Structure formats: C-alpha cells, structure tokens
Amino acid sequence: MTQHTVAALFRRALDTVPTYQPGKQPAVVPGLTPYKLSSNELHLPPLPEILETMADVPNPAGYPDPTASALIAGLSEYLDVPTGHITVGGGASEIISALARVTTETGTETVYPWPSFELYPQTAALNGGTLKPVALTAAHEHDLTAMADAITEQTRMVLLCSPNNPTGTSIKQDNFEAFMERVPSDVLVVIDEAYWEFCTDPDALDGLAAAKAYDNVVLVRTFSKAHGLAGFRVGYAVAQPHVITALRKAILTFSVAQLSQNVALASLHQVDVIQARARSVAAARDEFVTALRSQGWEVPDAHANFVWLPLGDLAERFEDACIAQAIAVRKLTDGVRISIGAPEAMQRVVDIAGKFRDDNDPSSRTKTPAIQPY
C-alpha cells in the first residue's frame, strides 16, 4: 500500500491534531530512589477503605451499570445538585473529548488558553474545528479579556482550566463573572477543575456555583488527582440538564468499569479525609515554592499539586538535569512542571535547582533550603 493510499484512509482533520509527546523517564542512578514527578499523580498511599473496595471485585463477565446510578446519587448528595445535572465518564479527559464531539465540527471554533492542558487542542482539532489558542498573561494566568475578544459567531466552545495545567494559576471569581457577561449564550463554557481540591486561593472561581448559575457552563472534575484514583479513570460533569443529555449521547456506554464506580463512591464517602490530604499536599507545595523563590527563581502562584518553572530556553536542560538525578519532571512549551511528591524527592529537586542556577548564573550563588517532612 502506498503512502498516498494510507493517507487517504484518514480524515483531513487528523493532519491538524498535535501528537502527544510523553515525558522522559528518570535515569537509573545507583543509590538514588527514582521519583516520577511528571504526571501530577497523588503520591500518598491509598486509603484503607479504597483497598477494601478494590478487594471486592465485581464479576468481570457482567457489564457495569451504564447509568452509574449509585455513584451519581452519591455525587448528587455531595454536590447538592439533582442527578439530572450530573454525568460520569472515563476520567475528565473522556468528558472533555465528548464535549468537543457535541459542539465541534468543521467551520466551528474552540477558544482555549495556552499553555494549558494538552488535550484541548487535540480533541478540538480531531473533530474538525478551528483552534484559537489565547496566550496567558505575563503572570501565567488566563487572559480572559483576550479570550472574550477571540469569540466570534463561529465559536462553539471555550475551555477554561482553574487551577491551570501546567502553570498552576487560578481564575479569579470577579474576572470570570466579567468574562461571562461577554460570552454569548450559545457558546458552551467548560470549566476544568481537575485540581480544585488543592486550590488555596480565596478569590478563586467557584466552578460548582457557576455550573448552577449559568445555562451554558459545564463543570468538569475528576477522581484522578486529589482522590488518587487516576488508574480507575473516573471523571464527572455538572451542568444544566440539556447539556448533560447531549453529553450522555457522546460518552461511551460502559466507559466506567463497575469496580471504578464502586471505588469512586467509596472515596466520595471519605471526602473529608481526601480534602485534608489535599491540604497537606498544598502545604508541601507552598514550602517547595518558597524554597525555589529563595534561590531566585521566578515561580508563579501555585494552586494545584504541581509547580511551574518558566525557564524558556533552559527548560529542556533543567529537565535533563533532573532526569540525571533519577527525577522525572515534565517539560511543556517553555517551562517545566514539577508535581509534588515525597519530601525526599522535593528536596532533591531543590538541590538540583540550586546547582542548576549556580551553573547557569554564576553571579547568583544560591543557598539551598531544606524541605521539611510532612
């Protein structure tokens, strides 16, 4: 089969879809424990209640509940919204992809911040839409004024990420409300709050309240991050019933396995513990930010379970320096994202960062602070 024939098999939209670039793996270094700080995973161990639920494996010959009725009922009680305002999917990623499928086609536009979650341009382009990325501000935050300016009659969806992946900055509530005053009612606004449990910004956008207040807003959250269930692939959306009805047509039936539904519900029953653990991660994050800033690094305000270093041309060299010391971090565009992990891992990154800064700016000799156990 010729190359021309193979290309003819696929939709033209595929040519515009960015290819996902996986992060590098840490080197094997004798005497050093390797740490993966590149995927924003929760490094804390599973709760005992989760392990108990995992041990009770449903009959694999049977299909899962296609309506996820027990999990949605639990979410309904927790979120204080009717069940008709909620749906679940195989992680937040499947829900965002489904939102693109119900809004995007050739001739339509999707507006999104950049840099942000890599899935946004991938899923919008795959559905034939035109991509309209809007650069972040100098403070690495959403430029909501510019995003509103980018909306045209062809815009069908706007994606927001708060806290933003990879920069960790949050959207302010008053800025969001001003933004929504400029958004037409026939444009769907998606609020991706994958990291909301870690957010300590008192002025941050309340995505749940927005989903209740606006007919054209959908909130997307996940059990992957603070709940530590990334491997079970469970996300959920909250919106008005007409949005949920459309979403349910685009989310694959049986996409959330029964064990995943059971584990997510068990974790929801431990939400107070989950949120306390998220606060401990946030405290460790803030300590890490303080350590980096004391070395002279520019670090944006961080409100997720990771920290962003805007390194420009030095980003790949810093990533490689971490890899050489058995630490995997994530280079994205012109910076490096570092997930919060065990204290030993964070101390090693601080040590690497101090030496890296000295090697690249000898006029600024750094003093490396110690990361305290948590």
Side-chain angles (χ1 to χ4, degrees):
M1 185 178 291
T2 66
Q3 183 175 355
H4 175 75
T5 304
V6 171
L9 291 173
F10 307 117
R11 296 169 54 227
R12 291 180 181 177
L14 195 64
D15 295 336
T16 66
V17 177
T19 301
Y20 177 77
Q21 300 294 332
K24 299 177 182 178
Q25 297 298 311
V28 177
V29 181
L32 290 181
T33 301
Y35 290 101
K36 181 184 176 187
L37 306 180
S38 54
S39 296
N40 298 341
E41 297 158 333
L42 186 73
H43 71 283
L44 301 174
L47 296 175
E49 293 80 5
I50 300 304
L51 294 175
E52 291 176 8
T53 304
M54 288 170 56
D56 187 13
V57 179
N59 179 3
Y63 285 106
D65 175 5
T67 65
S69 55
L71 177 56
I72 287 180
L75 285 166
S76 174
E77 180 179 0
Y78 168 57
L79 301 169
D80 191 26
V81 295
T83 57
H85 292 238
I86 305 169
T87 194
V88 300
S93 295
E94 186 189 26
I95 292 173
I96 292 168
S97 297
L99 286 166
R101 288 196 293 275
V102 300
T103 59
T104 308
E105 58 190 347
T106 301
T108 65
E109 300 171 344
T110 297
V111 176
Y112 58 94
W114 197 254
S116 195
F117 186 25
E118 293 170 283
L119 181 68
Y120 299 160
Q122 289 177 335
T123 187
L126 190 60
N127 288 280
T130 299
L131 306 181
K132 297 192 73 174
V134 177
L136 302 179
T137 68
H140 309 282
E141 299 176 342
H142 285 49
D143 189 338
L144 292 180
T145 299
M147 293 185 74
D149 290 341
I151 296 173
T152 71
E153 292 183 357
Q154 286 71 48
T155 304
R156 291 294 173 267
M157 182 166 65
V158 177
L159 293 157
L160 306 177
C161 189
S162 183
N164 185 48
N165 176 14
T167 60
T169 51
S170 62
I171 297 173
K172 310 302 182 187
Q173 181 70 36
D174 56 352
N175 292 340
F176 172 77
E177 292 173 359
F179 168 76
M180 288 301 296
E181 290 179 0
R182 298 184 57 194
V183 177
S185 60
D186 60 352
V187 172
L188 190 67
V189 177
V190 180
I191 302 173
D192 181 354
E193 280 192 342
Y195 304 95
W196 74 276
E197 294 97 335
F198 304 103
C199 186
T200 52
D201 180 0
D203 299 319
L205 162 65
D206 184 340
L208 180 58
K212 294 178 180 180
Y214 295 92
D215 288 343
N216 61 331
V217 167
V218 55
L219 170 67
V220 180
R221 288 179 176 174
T222 183
F223 284 88
S224 294
K225 306 304 180 183
H227 287 262
L229 301 178
F232 284 96
R233 312 308 304 135
V234 186
Y236 61 94
V238 181
Q240 297 302 313
H242 68 280
V243 178
I244 296 301
T245 298
L247 257 181
R248 287 175 176 167
K249 292 180 179 180
I251 293 174
L252 293 175
T253 305
F254 307 124
S255 66
V256 183
Q258 192 61 53
L259 182 58
S260 296
Q261 294 181 33
N262 297 348
V263 168
L265 183 58
S267 190
L268 195 61
H269 290 159
Q270 300 297 318
V271 69
D272 289 344
V273 179
I274 297 298
Q275 291 177 340
R277 282 154 59 101
R279 288 192 294 271
S280 75
V281 172
R285 173 203 67 208
D286 292 345
E287 183 182 3
F288 181 56
V289 168
T290 298
L292 291 175
R293 286 176 174 169
S294 72
Q295 294 179 341
W297 294 104
E298 174 201 349
V299 183
D301 290 340
H303 290 291
N305 67 332
F306 53 82
V307 171
W308 176 247
L309 273 181
L311 293 166
D313 294 340
L314 295 175
E316 188 165 3
R317 289 175 60 186
F318 186 88
E319 180 188 40
D320 289 340
C322 290
I323 287 169
Q325 293 298 311
I327 297 282
V329 295
R330 189 75 163 92
K331 177 190 175 298
L332 295 162
T333 62
D334 59 352
V336 171
R337 189 191 66 198
I338 307 164
S339 304
I340 302 303
E344 178 188 348
M346 307 321 295
Q347 182 64 61
R348 195 183 304 168
V349 176
V350 169
D351 294 341
I352 293 167
K355 183 177 186 305
F356 187 90
R357 189 168 181 84
D358 290 344
D359 290 345
N360 288 277
D361 185 9
S363 64
S364 176
R365 291 293 169 182
T366 58
K367 189 173 181 182
T368 301
I371 297 293
Q372 301 300 317
Y374 56 88

